[in-house]
C-alpha cells in the first residue's frame, strides 16, 4: 500500500516510506513503540496509486526488545481492511433499513389507503436519511401478494 516492495521498506526510515500525512498519524504510535509499548489502530489513507481512492487500514506496531527489555526498534504490521469496513457499513445500512421497514409494516396493518401508506413510509425514510431506498422497498412491498390482504 506504500508503493514500495518489502525489500525497499526493510531498514528504511519512515520519512523515506510514508507521506507527511501518514507520518503525522503514525508519530504518536511510533513514539509509544520505541518506548516499548505495543499499539494498534485503524485509519483511512488515500491509495498511493490513486489519490481519489480512500482505503482503510489496521496498523499494529510491536516493540522489538532485547532480552533486558531495552527497545531497539519496532515491527509494523499493516493490513488493508477496506473490504471489511465497507461490509460493516453495508450491514449497518441494512440494519437501519430493516428497522424502518419493520415499522413501515406495522403502519401497513393500520393504514388501508395506499396514498396514506406511501406518505407514511416516505416520511419514515426521509426522517432516517434513506429516502433513495424508499421507492424500491415500497414498490416491492406493493407487488407482494400479501399486500392485497391489507387493501
Amino acid at each position: 500500500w506504500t508503493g514500495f516492495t518489502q525489500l525497499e521498506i526493510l531498514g528504511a526510515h519512515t520519512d523515506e516510506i510514508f507521506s507527511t500525512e501518514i507520518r503525522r498519524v503514525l508519530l504518536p504510535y511510533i513514539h509509544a513503540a520505541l518506548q516499548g509499548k505495543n499499539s494498534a489502530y485503524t485509519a483511512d489513507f488515500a491509495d498511493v496509486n490513486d489519490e481519489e481512492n480512500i482505503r482503510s487500514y489496521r496498523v499494529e506496531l510491536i516493540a522489538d526488545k532485547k532480552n533486558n527489555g531495552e527497545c531497539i526498534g519496532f515491527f509494523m504490521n499493516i493490513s488493508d481492511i477496506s473490504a471489511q469496513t465497507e461490509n460493516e457499513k453495508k450491514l449497518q445500512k441494512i440494519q437501519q433499513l430493516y428497522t424502518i421497514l419493520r415499522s413501515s409494516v406495522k403502519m401497513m396493518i393500520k393504514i388501508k389507503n395506499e396514498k396514506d401508506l406511501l406518505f407514511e413510509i416516505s416520511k419514515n425514510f426521509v426522517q432516517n436519511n434513506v429516502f433513495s431506498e424508499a421507492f424500491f422497498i415500497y414498490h416491492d412491498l406493493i407487488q407482494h401478494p400479501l399486500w392485497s390482504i391489507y387493501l
Side-chain angles (χ1 to χ4, degrees):
W1 69 279
T2 61
F4 295 97
T5 67
Q6 285 180 327
L7 289 176
E8 292 171 319
I9 290 175
L10 192 61
H13 192 275
T14 56
D15 292 350
E16 301 171 74
I17 304 298
F18 300 114
S19 70
T20 305
E21 174 197 357
I22 293 174
R23 280 196 319 273
R24 182 184 53 76
V25 173
L26 284 175
L27 200 56
Y29 300 99
I30 290 172
H31 285 302
L34 290 173
Q35 291 174 1
K37 300 173 189 155
N38 297 338
S39 60
Y41 69 97
T42 58
D44 295 332
F45 297 115
D47 189 316
V48 292
N49 299 317
D50 179 6
E51 291 290 321
E52 306 259 328
N53 186 16
I54 304 298
R55 310 287 301 169
S56 295
Y57 297 96
R58 175 165 173 76
V59 181
E60 297 172 273
L61 287 92
I62 299 102
D64 184 15
K65 299 177 187 177
K66 289 182 176 180
N67 287 341
N68 66 2
E70 177 190 356
C71 185
I72 57 172
F74 62 90
F75 297 98
M76 187 180 295
N77 180 36
I78 303 169
S79 305
D80 186 338
I81 59 167
S82 299
Q84 178 184 344
T85 303
E86 272 305 305
N87 286 336
E88 287 172 1
K89 288 177 185 175
K90 287 176 186 175
L91 284 172
Q92 288 171 353
K93 185 74 156 187
I94 288 169
Q95 184 178 16
Q96 182 184 21
L97 289 171
Y98 173 75
T99 301
I100 294 167
L101 185 58
R102 212 170 83 206
S103 68
S104 297
V105 168
K106 288 178 182 177
M107 278 187 265
M108 276 183 9
I109 294 169
K110 295 176 186 173
I111 301 172
K112 307 288 186 196
N113 178 317
E114 189 175 328
K115 278 186 184 176
D116 291 343
L117 178 62
L118 176 60
F119 174 76
E120 289 298 324
I121 290 174
S122 298
K123 183 173 75 174
N124 201 352
F125 277 83
V126 168
Q127 288 170 345
N128 291 283
N129 290 325
V130 288
F131 186 74
S132 60
E133 287 88 354
F135 173 76
F136 299 106
I137 291 178
Y138 171 75
H139 180 266
D140 291 345
L141 207 53
I142 293 301
Q143 301 302 321
H144 196 280
L146 289 176
W147 173 248
S148 60
I149 294 170
Y150 297 106
L151 288 179

